[in-house]
């Protein structure tokens, strides 16, 4: 048996490490030796009901022992189950693994590496099932199929052991103290080989005149081998002898104190009293929490030795850093620091990389390893060189080599050259060719891919670079969007903020408060105030009046606080470049394919109109598969905000799906897929660069659509606020009123510009299960915000809800076009929004000048009542009938009251009444452009504190629930 004690754990079995290959690890350490780190990731990102999935390993002399939660029913291997029981645990396994993989998608750096490694090999042969849970052993490793195993199995199960009776004899001078815990019993049963812990030992209350001094022998850590009796020992109290100072009296207990060194904190009890000679149990030792940039190293002195006197244990932390070394190689020298020290998992920025001065006759060709990739271990980057010959010498050497050939080789070279020239000529003479060399397909040029850092291939949307000279003069274009990728395909540093959208750590927005101000003058003044190459303008919008600047990551907070004072002759707001996300995902449900088409009365609506080709619908998204049969003859004015042309990538399929829902062909209606407005035109606009969408990109996409006469614009992407749904509605309402005001000001201006052109913007409400009024783009009256319902006419479990939502639409298991020439069901408010967008396109086909207010009134007044705190669901036929008749009056739901404590003073606020229906607040107020203080307005720390506070309250309430 291994010499290990794990609280509330039992041994499932063991393996021989030599029987396994592909053992995942961190550096040279396999994951089973870094379980504390893996466990910290699990506890930080996995729901409590799934945290026991990865069993607890213990390594000893080549064997790895695996422990699972203490069980009531005997554990059995999943692969050996059958019938309904197998179906049950297969379902539990699927739910568990899916939960882990969703958590994995939100991680990066070392945390991602550890959890990904733990989940790399999942086999039913190593999953134990019991007590409605699944526990995986031998995780992070794969059995060696070529290794002979004499036992016929790679995993040796723990043998069934007889129960042994352990008795605590408290004698005549004491009783069990039930005030400490009612679960203590004088007799317990334990299997042979189990070790007793503090949780097994009853607390004794001595009778008057006696004191309890311990058990004979010490039961802590005792390995059960047979029935056994522990006897309580007491001292009889007596009056102290005045002639004796007490120094010779026995001291049977000692105090243990825990403290922390620099670099971390402790969580738990930091001072306990234990019997003399006691060996600390795992539950006695407080949890260590390392500060950023540090990792826990050890306890000093060791906590594994008996405690014989009062002792202070200190938690030691070490800086968690790695080195990136730069080697000049043979043909050059390094200019700058050749040894950069960074926190583990961090990335270097361009300004930190030393310059290389090549020797004469050579030119620097790059580094042997990318210095910009995340540092997970020490790295050595060696400079690479190429001979730097003048062009005419290279040309002469090539010609000389060509003509110096002899016999067949020379003629073969001439033949190849001739074929090459013919090919180039045919290429030049091809008609209808896009700028990248691809043939235009339905108005779109498929985008090229290029090799990025680490050998991966990325979409060629260009890379981030300054758009001004040293004077700050902006280019002639009205708007320029910086791609996400840096040179060489390197991602920017991303700051992940629980409860708030992620932001780019090396970019800032400068948004001018006065819409008539001079953004070109601001650009010049910025470069005068920040002249260095490390401060650059990488994006602009002359109409919206904004600049996007790139600055050193380490200076972001300081610049955000001081830039207004350094450029005092302009009024502008400073905030972060947020990263927007897709509000939809592939469906796992089994709803009827195409159910949404009947639910919205689409065919009945088509008896009035199927749309007009004079109506253009813009889809702001991640790209499109233009050759999909759903889009034949429909695409016009395709645009990529990064490349400023019609080169679009396919993306992950989100744009293809949403475009099909809005204006896809009706040819596939009988298969369950159709656009709501199949006769209208489609304007696909790409705002994603390799699965990431900067806020500046989505703004530019909307403005392109507005200026190219889009009648309706669908925006099924937006900021994500994970974790805010734990807060009560009142707290969420407070956040909506007080936070994210700067971004709300930006969107208010964009929507105002769109309204001037009578372009209707349709936003997906979001999938965070929070108030719709929290995402700042939803807070103005110049747009329409869409929530989602399922087939039962209930709100979907993910949809945002409440104030600022205008209409709902089907959003669960929605079938539509998908790459490549395929169809797929997806979930999300992303799917609901284009259904409404297509409906508005049909309304525009009847009345081209219908306004956003008129459209909102019609959709709300003619929609079907739904359950829950969301507005009515769109009915296409009823909306078209009202539009055709010119009835744009808003019909409200009467006889409803507004609950106390709920903020409704935002446009089109809807609040819950009578438990399941909705009501409109008939006095909506427009949310004007606010005038927040200069600089960042959002108190991220306050929001994080609220989330943590309510999560703690939830955990406390859960503890009170019966098991």
């Amino acid at each position: 048996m291994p010499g290990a004690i794990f609280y509330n754990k039992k041994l499932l079995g063991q393996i021989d490490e030599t029987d396994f290959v592909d053992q995942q690890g961190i550096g040279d350490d396999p994951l089973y030796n870094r379980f504390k780190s893996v466990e910290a990731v699990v506890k930080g990102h996995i729901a409590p009901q799934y945290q026991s999935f990865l069993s607890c390993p213990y390594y000893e002399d080549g064997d790895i022992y695996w422990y699972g939660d203490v069980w009531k029913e005997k554990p059995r291997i999943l692969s050996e189950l059958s019938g309904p029981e197998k179906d049950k645990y297969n379902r539990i396994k699927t739910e568990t693994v899916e939960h882990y993989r969703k958590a994995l998608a939100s991680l990066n750096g070392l945390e991602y590496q550890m959890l990904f490694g733990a989940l790399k090999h999942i086999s039913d042969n190593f999953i134990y099932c019991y007590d409605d849970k699944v526990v995986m052993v031998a995780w992070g490793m794969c059995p060696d199929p070529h290794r002979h195993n004499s036992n016929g199995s790679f995993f040796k199960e723990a043998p069934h052991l007889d129960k042994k009776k352990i008795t605590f004899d408290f004698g005549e001078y004491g009783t069990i103290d039930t005030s400490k815990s009612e679960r203590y019993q004088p007799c317990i049963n334990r299997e042979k080989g189990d070790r007793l812990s503090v949780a097994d030992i009853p607390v004794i209350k001595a009778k008057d005149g006696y004191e309890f001094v311990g058990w004979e022998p010490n039961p802590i850590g005792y390995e059960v081998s047979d029935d056994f009796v522990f006897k309580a020992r007491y001292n009889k109290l007596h009056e102290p002898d005045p002639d004796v100072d007490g120094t010779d009296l026995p001291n049977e207990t000692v105090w243990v104190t825990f403290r922390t060194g620099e670099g971390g904190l402790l969580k738990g009890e930091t001072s306990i009293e234990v019997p003399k000679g006691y060996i600390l149990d795992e539950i006695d030792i407080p949890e260590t929490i390392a500060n950023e940039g540090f990792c826990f190293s050890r306890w000093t002195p060791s906590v594994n030795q008996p405690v014989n006197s009062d002792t202070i244990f200190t938690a030691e932390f070490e800086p968690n850093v790695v080195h990136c070394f730069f080697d000049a190689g043979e043909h050059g020298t390094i200019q700058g620091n050749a040894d950069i020290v960074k926190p583990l998992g961090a990335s270097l920025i361009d300004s930190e990389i030393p310059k290389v001065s090549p020797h004469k006759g050579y030119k620097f060709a790059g580094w042997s390893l990318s210095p910009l990739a995340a540092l997970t271990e020490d790295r050595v980057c060696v400079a690479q060189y190429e001979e730097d010959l003048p062009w005419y010498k290279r040309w002469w050497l090539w010609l000389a080599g060509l003509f110096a050939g002899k016999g067949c080789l020379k003629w073969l070279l001439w033949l190849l050259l001739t074929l090459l020239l013919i090919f180039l000529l045919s290429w030049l003479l091809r008609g209808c060719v896009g700028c990248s060399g691809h043939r235009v397909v339905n108005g779109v040029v498929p985008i090229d891919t290029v090799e990025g850092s680490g050998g991966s291939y990325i979409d060629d949307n260009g890379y981030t670079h300054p758009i001004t000279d040293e004077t700050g003069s902006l280019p002639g274009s009205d708007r320029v969007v910086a791609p996400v990728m840096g040179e060489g395909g390197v991602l920017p540093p991303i700051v992940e903020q629980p409860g708030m959208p992620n932001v780019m750590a090396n970019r800032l927005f400068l948004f001018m408060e006065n819409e008539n101000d001079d953004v070109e003058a601001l650009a010049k003044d910025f470069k005068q105030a920040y002249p260095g190459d490390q401060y650059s303008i990488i994006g602009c919008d002359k109409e919206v009046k904004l600049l996007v600047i790139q600055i050193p990551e380490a200076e972001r907070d300081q610049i955000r606080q001081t830039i207004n004072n350094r450029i005092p002759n302009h009024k502008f707001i400073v905030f972060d470049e947020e990263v927007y996300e897709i509000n939809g995902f592939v469906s796992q449900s089994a709803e009827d394919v195409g159910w949404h088409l009947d639910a919205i009365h689409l065919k009945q609506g088509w008896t009035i109109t199927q749309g007009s080709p004079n109506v253009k619908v813009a889809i702001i998204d991640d790209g499109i598969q233009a050759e999909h049969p759903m889009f034949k003859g429909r695409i016009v004015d395709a645009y990529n905000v990064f490349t400023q042309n019609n080169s679009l990538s396919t993306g992950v399929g989100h744009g293809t799906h949403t475009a099909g829902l809005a204006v896809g062909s009706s040819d596939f209606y009988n298969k369950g897929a159709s656009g709501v407005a199949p006769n209208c035109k489609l304007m696909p606009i790409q705002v994603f660069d390799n699965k990431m969408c900067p806020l500046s990109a989505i703004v530019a996409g909307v403005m392109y659509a507005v200026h190219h006469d889009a009648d309706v614009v669908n925006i099924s992407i937006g900021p994500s606020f994970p974790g805010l749904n734990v807060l009560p509605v009142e707290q969420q309402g407070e956040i909506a009123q007080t936070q994210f005001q700067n971004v709300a000001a930006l969107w208010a201006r964009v929507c105002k510009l769109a309204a001037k052109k009578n372009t209707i913007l349709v936003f997906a409400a979001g999938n965070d299960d929070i108030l719709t009024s929290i995402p700042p783009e939803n807070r103005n009256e110049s747009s329409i915000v869409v929530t989602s319902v399922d087939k039962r006419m209930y709100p979907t479990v993910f949809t945002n809800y409440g104030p600022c939502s205008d209409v709902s639409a089907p959003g669960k298991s929605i079938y539509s076009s998908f790459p490549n020439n395929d169809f797929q069901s997806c979930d999300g408010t992303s799917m609901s929004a284009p259904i409404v967008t297509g409906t508005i396109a049909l309304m525009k086909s009847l009345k081209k000048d219908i306004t956003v207010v008129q459209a909102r009134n019609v959709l709300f007044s003619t929609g079907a009542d739904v359950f829950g705190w969301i507005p009515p669901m769109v009915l296409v036929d009823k909306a078209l009938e009202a539009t055709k008749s010119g009835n744009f009056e808003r019909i409200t739901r009467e006889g409803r009251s507004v609950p106390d404590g709920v903020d409704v003073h935002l446009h089109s606020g809807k609040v819950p009444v009578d438990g399941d229906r909705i009501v409109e607040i008939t006095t909506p107020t427009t949310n004007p452009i606010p005038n927040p203080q200069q600089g960042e307005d959002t108190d991220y720390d306050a929001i994080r504190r609220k989330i943590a506070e309510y999560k703690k309250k939830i955990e406390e309430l859960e503890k009170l629930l019966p098991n």
Side-chain angles (χ1 to χ4, degrees), residues 42 98 238 270 373 422 496 524 592 609 637 721 763 777 833 912:
V42 169
E98 183 63 25
H238 54 82
T270 57
I422 293 172
E496 295 186 356
K524 292 178 180 178
D592 295 337
T609 182
D637 299 328
F721 301 85
F763 288 92
E777 68 274 16

Side-chain angles (χ1 to χ4, degrees), residues 410-582:
K410 178 173 69 176
W411 294 112
L412 179 60
L413 290 174
W414 275 109
L415 177 61
L416 291 174
L417 178 61
T418 303
L419 292 174
L420 178 61
L421 290 173
I422 293 172
F423 172 76
L424 290 174
L425 183 62
S426 66
W427 182 80
L428 290 172
L429 294 178
R430 274 193 316 180
C432 192
V433 177
C435 59
S436 68
H438 296 288
R439 184 173 297 276
V440 176
V441 179
N442 205 9
V444 173
V445 178
I447 204 163
D448 282 330
T449 57
V450 296
E451 187 172 0
S453 60
S456 61
Y457 281 85
I458 60 175
D459 290 340
D460 187 13
N461 289 309
Y463 60 87
T464 304
H465 61 277
I467 62 172
T468 69
D469 57 20
E470 62 276 4
T471 68
S473 297
L474 293 176
S477 303
D478 285 341
R479 59 191 55 86
V480 179
V481 180
V484 170
M485 294 290 184
E487 189 168 5
V490 177
L491 287 170
I494 301 295
V495 178
E496 295 186 356
Q497 307 179 119
M500 283 77 67
N502 296 338
V503 300
M504 296 187 184
N506 62 345
R507 298 187 188 182
L508 289 174
F509 252 86
L510 308 185
F511 174 61
M512 307 193 80
E513 294 185 48
N514 187 340
E515 60 185 289
N516 297 315
D517 212 336
D518 187 353
V519 73
E520 297 192 72
L522 175 62
K524 292 178 180 178
D525 290 344
F526 169 77
K527 283 308 296 179
Q528 185 173 356
Y530 296 90
D533 292 340
Q534 68 271 37
Y535 311 105
S536 59
I537 299 172
I538 58 174
C540 70
D541 193 308
K542 296 178 182 177
E543 184 176 16
V544 179
K545 308 295 183 182
L546 66 84
L547 298 176
V548 180
I549 61 173
Q550 182 166 284
I551 42 95
E553 177 184 356
E555 298 181 35
R556 179 171 65 109
D557 291 338
Q558 180 185 5
I559 290 175
R560 190 165 52 192
Q561 295 170 5
T562 60
I563 189 171
N564 294 98
N565 293 330
R566 293 186 65 172
I567 312 177
N569 51 331
H570 297 283
K571 289 186 176 181
F572 57 92
I573 301 170
V574 185
F575 54 95
D576 293 318
E577 172 80 298
E578 295 180 351
V579 180
Y580 274 28
E581 299 181 5
I582 287 171

Side-chain angles (χ1 to χ4, degrees), residues 486-805:
E487 189 168 5
V490 177
L491 287 170
I494 301 295
V495 178
E496 295 186 356
Q497 307 179 119
M500 283 77 67
N502 296 338
V503 300
M504 296 187 184
N506 62 345
R507 298 187 188 182
L508 289 174
F509 252 86
L510 308 185
F511 174 61
M512 307 193 80
E513 294 185 48
N514 187 340
E515 60 185 289
N516 297 315
D517 212 336
D518 187 353
V519 73
E520 297 192 72
L522 175 62
K524 292 178 180 178
D525 290 344
F526 169 77
K527 283 308 296 179
Q528 185 173 356
Y530 296 90
D533 292 340
Q534 68 271 37
Y535 311 105
S536 59
I537 299 172
I538 58 174
C540 70
D541 193 308
K542 296 178 182 177
E543 184 176 16
V544 179
K545 308 295 183 182
L546 66 84
L547 298 176
V548 180
I549 61 173
Q550 182 166 284
I551 42 95
E553 177 184 356
E555 298 181 35
R556 179 171 65 109
D557 291 338
Q558 180 185 5
I559 290 175
R560 190 165 52 192
Q561 295 170 5
T562 60
I563 189 171
N564 294 98
N565 293 330
R566 293 186 65 172
I567 312 177
N569 51 331
H570 297 283
K571 289 186 176 181
F572 57 92
I573 301 170
V574 185
F575 54 95
D576 293 318
E577 172 80 298
E578 295 180 351
V579 180
Y580 274 28
E581 299 181 5
I582 287 171
N583 282 328
F585 33 86
V586 173
S587 179
Q588 302 298 321
S589 64
E591 300 281 4
D592 295 337
V593 170
W595 72 269
H596 64 288
L597 303 177
D598 293 332
I600 63 174
H601 298 182
L602 182 56
K603 275 206 169 179
Q604 296 91 318
W606 282 351
T607 62
I608 301 174
T609 182
Q610 284 189 287
S612 165
N614 295 323
V615 172
K616 289 196 287 189
V617 176
I619 302 293
I620 310 291
D621 224 293
D622 69 336
I624 195 170
Q625 189 213 344
E627 64 269 29
H628 198 289
M630 284 277 274
F631 307 131
K632 186 177 181 180
R634 283 172 171 73
I635 296 179
V636 295
D637 299 328
Y639 187 66
N640 182 330
V641 300
F642 305 106
T643 61
Q644 298 188 2
N645 58 26
N646 63 335
S647 296
L648 273 63
S649 65
T650 304
V652 299
H654 189 266
T656 301
H657 199 275
T658 55
L661 288 170
V663 293
S665 170
S666 61
D667 293 346
F668 304 92
Y669 186 97
N670 290 334
K671 292 184 178 181
S674 176
V676 174
N679 289 347
C680 295
K681 294 298 184 183
L682 166 63
M683 182 191 298
I685 301 174
Q686 178 173 336
V687 294
F688 273 76
D689 179 14
N690 293 281
K691 303 181 182 180
M692 298 178 68
C693 175
L695 173 57
S696 56
I698 196 172
V699 169
V702 171
M703 295 310 301
Y704 174 87
V706 168
H707 288 295
H708 284 76
D709 301 318
D711 295 284
V712 195
V713 180
N714 187 85
I715 307 160
S716 284
I717 47 184
S720 182
F721 301 85
L724 277 189
N725 61 340
V726 304
L727 298 182
V729 170
E730 293 77 9
Q731 292 285 330
Q732 294 184 37
E734 180 184 339
I735 291 173
Q737 281 290 313
T738 61
Q739 307 296 330
F740 310 108
Q741 296 297 328
N742 287 339
V743 182
L746 171 66
W747 277 114
R749 181 170 297 165
V750 171
C751 293
K752 178 181 177 182
L753 292 169
K756 285 183 179 179
K757 298 275 287 187
N758 203 27
T759 299
I760 297 179
L761 307 184
V762 180
F763 288 92
N767 298 338
D768 293 312
D769 185 30
I770 59 175
L771 287 182
T772 312
S773 49
I774 289 178
E777 68 274 16
N778 296 342
R779 300 179 189 176
N780 64 85
E781 288 212 306
S782 298
S783 64
I784 291 177
V785 179
V786 186
T787 55
S788 72
V789 297
D790 60 22
K791 190 176 181 179
R792 305 169 303 158
M793 303 290 280
Y794 277 79
T796 57
V797 295
F798 48 77
T799 186
N800 293 349
Y801 56 86
C804 290
S805 52

